[in-house]
Amino acid sequence: MLDAINIHWFPGHMTRANRKMQQSLKLVDCVAEIIDARIPISSRNPELIKMTQNKPKLLLFNKTDIADPLQNSSWITYYKNKGFNILSIDAKTGKGLNKFSSALRVSLKDKIQQWEKKGMGLRKIRVMVVGIPNVGKSSCINRLVGNKKAKVEDRPGVTRGNQWFYLSGGVELLDTPGVLWPKISDQIMGENLAFTGAVRDHVIDIEGVALRFINRMVSSYPDNLCQRYKLTKEFINTHSPLEIFYEIGRKRGLLISGGEIDTQRLSQMLLDEFRMARLGRITLEKVEDIKK
Ligand code: G4P
């Protein structure tokens, strides 16, 4: 039996960041919400969803290069069926981001029509970029802005710390801090956020998280686990996550004096390897599970 993972943090800064975002929302026409293709549900901050519900929205489906390709297409269909405008991207290389401006215009088509009627068709589009920590917000903005890094002048009403950037094609981006929500009550969501690094490693019990990760790999991606750590299917099916954890540690020679396994280093290695896609392209939330 594995222990539930605990996240230890002080959510004060999240409340402050949320308040700032709420104020800045008045200044934008739409919201680009970045989500992590490996955790397409858990990477959506429920407080942000609520806060931005009345704004036109573009979902940026990021990290597609390290998520399971079959799941990528299922999730895109899932969100399209729910009425979302969604753009598949990989902010690390910039793939898909060339369609950013045109996708924004699709999200804003009603507003743009209204502007055109009023003779304001050439008005600039202001978009707020939001997302949880580590989702790829900086990478995405850097890719979109390119090496111009052009910052828009300070504007009245814009809270310090939220930066504006110019894009070509009349788009202005407002960056916001990556925030989570104060109480992550769903255990699986908490795990997903810890595995992907959205919840920082120093606020979790990393060994507990690594055991939970092994447990998840055994049930969802056993072949990837076996291949990466040279384990047999029979072994992972007949041993506990803790035994598998120690076996990987032995194979990797992660030992401390006395020949014991260095559990801290082993845990960090397992999570880092997952985050760098060394276990292959993995999606932790599957569409078929949501529909159940
Ligand atoms: P944030 O501002 O939302 O916190 O995220 P940031 O852009 O800093 O990205 C967090 C990590 O995720 C970075 O890795 C970044 O390279 C990686 N990343 C962002 N988008 C993608 C993507 O689409 N695909 C892949 N494979 N990785 C992505 P890092 O290891 O922390 O930094 P770095 O050494 O790569 O710069």
Coordinates of all heavy atoms in Angstrom, one line a residue, residues 62-66 89-93 131-140 178 275-276, ligand 1:
N62 N 0.4 22.1 -25.2 CA 1.8 22.1 -25.3 C 2.5 20.8 -24.9 O 1.9 19.9 -24.3 CB 2.4 23.3 -24.4 CG 3.8 23.5 -24.7 OD1 4.3 23.4 -25.8 ND2 4.6 23.9 -23.6
K63 N 3.8 20.7 -25.2 CA 4.6 19.5 -24.9 C 4.1 18.2 -25.6 O 4.2 17.1 -25.2 CB 4.7 19.2 -23.4 CG 5.2 20.4 -22.6 CD 5.8 20.1 -21.3 CE 6.3 21.4 -20.6 NZ 7.1 21.2 -19.4
T64 N 3.5 18.5 -26.8 CA 3.0 17.4 -27.6 C 4.1 16.4 -28.0 O 3.9 15.3 -28.3 CB 2.3 17.9 -28.8 OG1 3.1 18.9 -29.5 CG2 0.9 18.5 -28.5
D65 N 5.3 17.0 -28.1 CA 6.5 16.1 -28.6 C 6.8 15.1 -27.6 O 7.4 14.1 -27.9 CB 7.7 17.0 -28.8 CG 8.1 17.8 -27.6 OD1 7.2 18.4 -27.0 OD2 9.3 17.8 -27.3
I66 N 6.5 15.3 -26.3 CA 6.8 14.2 -25.3 C 5.6 13.5 -24.7 O 5.7 12.7 -23.8 CB 7.7 14.8 -24.1 CG1 7.1 16.1 -23.5 CG2 9.1 15.1 -24.6 CD1 7.8 16.6 -22.3
I89 N 0.9 22.4 -29.9 CA 2.2 23.1 -30.1 C 3.3 22.3 -29.4 O 3.0 21.4 -28.6 CB 2.2 24.5 -29.6 CG1 1.8 24.6 -28.1 CG2 1.2 25.4 -30.3 CD1 2.2 25.9 -27.4
D90 N 4.5 22.7 -29.7 CA 5.7 22.2 -29.0 C 6.5 23.5 -28.8 O 7.2 23.9 -29.7 CB 6.3 21.1 -29.8 CG 7.8 20.9 -29.5 OD1 8.3 21.6 -28.5 OD2 8.5 20.2 -30.2
A91 N 6.4 24.1 -27.6 CA 7.1 25.4 -27.4 C 8.6 25.3 -27.4 O 9.3 26.3 -27.5 CB 6.6 26.0 -26.1
K92 N 9.1 24.1 -27.2 CA 10.5 23.9 -27.1 C 11.2 24.2 -28.5 O 12.2 24.9 -28.6 CB 10.9 22.5 -26.7 CG 12.3 22.4 -26.3 CD 12.6 21.3 -25.2 CE 14.0 21.4 -24.8 NZ 14.2 20.7 -23.5
T93 N 10.5 23.7 -29.6 CA 11.0 24.0 -30.9 C 10.2 25.0 -31.6 O 10.6 25.5 -32.7 CB 10.9 22.7 -31.8 OG1 9.5 22.3 -31.9 CG2 11.7 21.5 -31.2
G131 N -1.2 29.9 -17.4 CA -0.8 28.5 -17.3 C -0.2 28.2 -15.9 O 0.3 29.1 -15.3
I132 N -0.2 26.9 -15.6 CA 0.4 26.5 -14.3 C 1.9 26.6 -14.4 O 2.4 26.6 -15.5 CB -0.1 25.1 -13.9 CG1 0.3 24.0 -14.9 CG2 -1.6 25.0 -13.7 CD1 0.2 22.6 -14.5
P133 N 2.6 26.5 -13.3 CA 4.1 26.5 -13.4 C 4.6 25.4 -14.2 O 4.1 24.3 -14.2 CB 4.6 26.3 -11.9 CG 3.4 26.7 -11.1 CD 2.2 26.4 -11.9
N134 N 5.7 25.7 -15.0 CA 6.4 24.6 -15.7 C 5.7 24.1 -17.0 O 6.1 23.2 -17.6 CB 6.8 23.5 -14.8 CG 8.0 22.8 -15.2 OD1 9.0 23.4 -15.6 ND2 8.0 21.4 -15.1
V135 N 4.6 24.8 -17.3 CA 3.8 24.3 -18.4 C 4.4 24.7 -19.8 O 4.0 24.1 -20.8 CB 2.3 24.7 -18.3 CG1 2.2 26.2 -18.6 CG2 1.4 23.9 -19.1
G136 N 5.4 25.6 -19.7 CA 6.0 26.0 -20.9 C 5.7 27.5 -21.3 O 5.8 27.8 -22.5
K137 N 5.2 28.2 -20.4 CA 4.7 29.6 -20.7 C 5.9 30.5 -21.2 O 5.7 31.1 -22.2 CB 4.1 30.2 -19.4 CG 3.0 31.2 -19.8 CD 2.0 31.3 -18.6 CE 2.7 31.5 -17.3 NZ 3.5 32.8 -17.2
S138 N 7.0 30.4 -20.5 CA 8.2 31.3 -20.9 C 8.7 30.8 -22.3 O 8.9 31.7 -23.2 CB 9.3 31.2 -19.9 OG 8.9 31.2 -18.6
S139 N 8.8 29.5 -22.5 CA 9.3 29.0 -23.7 C 8.3 29.5 -24.9 O 8.8 29.9 -25.9 CB 9.3 27.5 -23.8 OG 9.9 27.0 -22.7
C140 N 7.0 29.4 -24.6 CA 6.0 29.8 -25.6 C 6.2 31.2 -25.9 O 6.2 31.6 -27.1 CB 4.7 29.4 -25.0 SG 3.4 29.5 -26.1
G178 N 3.0 31.8 -13.4 CA 2.4 30.4 -13.4 C 1.9 30.1 -12.0 O 2.7 30.2 -11.1
R275 N 10.6 13.3 -17.0 CA 10.4 14.7 -17.5 C 11.1 14.9 -18.8 O 10.7 15.7 -19.6 CB 10.8 15.7 -16.4 CG 9.8 15.6 -15.2 CD 10.4 16.4 -14.0 NE 9.6 16.2 -12.9 CZ 10.0 16.5 -11.6 NH1 11.1 17.0 -11.4 NH2 9.2 16.2 -10.6
M276 N 12.3 14.2 -19.0 CA 13.1 14.4 -20.2 C 12.6 13.4 -21.3 O 13.3 13.3 -22.3 CB 14.5 14.2 -19.9 CG 15.1 15.4 -19.1 SD 16.9 15.2 -18.9 CE 17.0 13.8 -17.8
Ligands
G4P1 P1 7.0 28.0 -17.4 O1 7.5 29.4 -17.9 O2 5.6 27.7 -17.7 O3 7.4 27.7 -16.0 O4 7.8 26.9 -18.3 P2 9.1 27.0 -19.1 O5 8.9 27.7 -20.4 O6 10.3 27.5 -18.3 O7 9.3 25.4 -19.4 C1 9.5 24.5 -18.4 C2 10.3 23.3 -19.0 O8 9.6 22.7 -20.0 C3 11.6 23.7 -19.6 O9 12.5 22.7 -19.5 C4 11.2 23.8 -21.1 O10 12.3 23.6 -22.0 C5 10.3 22.7 -21.2 N1 9.3 22.8 -22.3 C6 8.5 23.8 -22.5 N2 7.7 23.6 -23.6 C7 8.0 22.3 -24.0 C8 7.6 21.5 -25.1 O11 6.7 21.8 -25.9 N3 8.3 20.3 -25.3 C9 9.3 19.9 -24.4 N4 9.8 18.8 -24.7 N5 9.7 20.7 -23.4 C10 9.1 21.9 -23.2 P3 13.7 22.7 -18.5 O12 14.4 21.4 -18.5 O13 13.2 23.3 -17.2 O14 14.6 23.9 -19.1 P4 15.5 23.8 -20.4 O15 16.8 23.3 -20.0 O16 14.8 22.9 -21.4 O17 15.5 25.3 -20.8

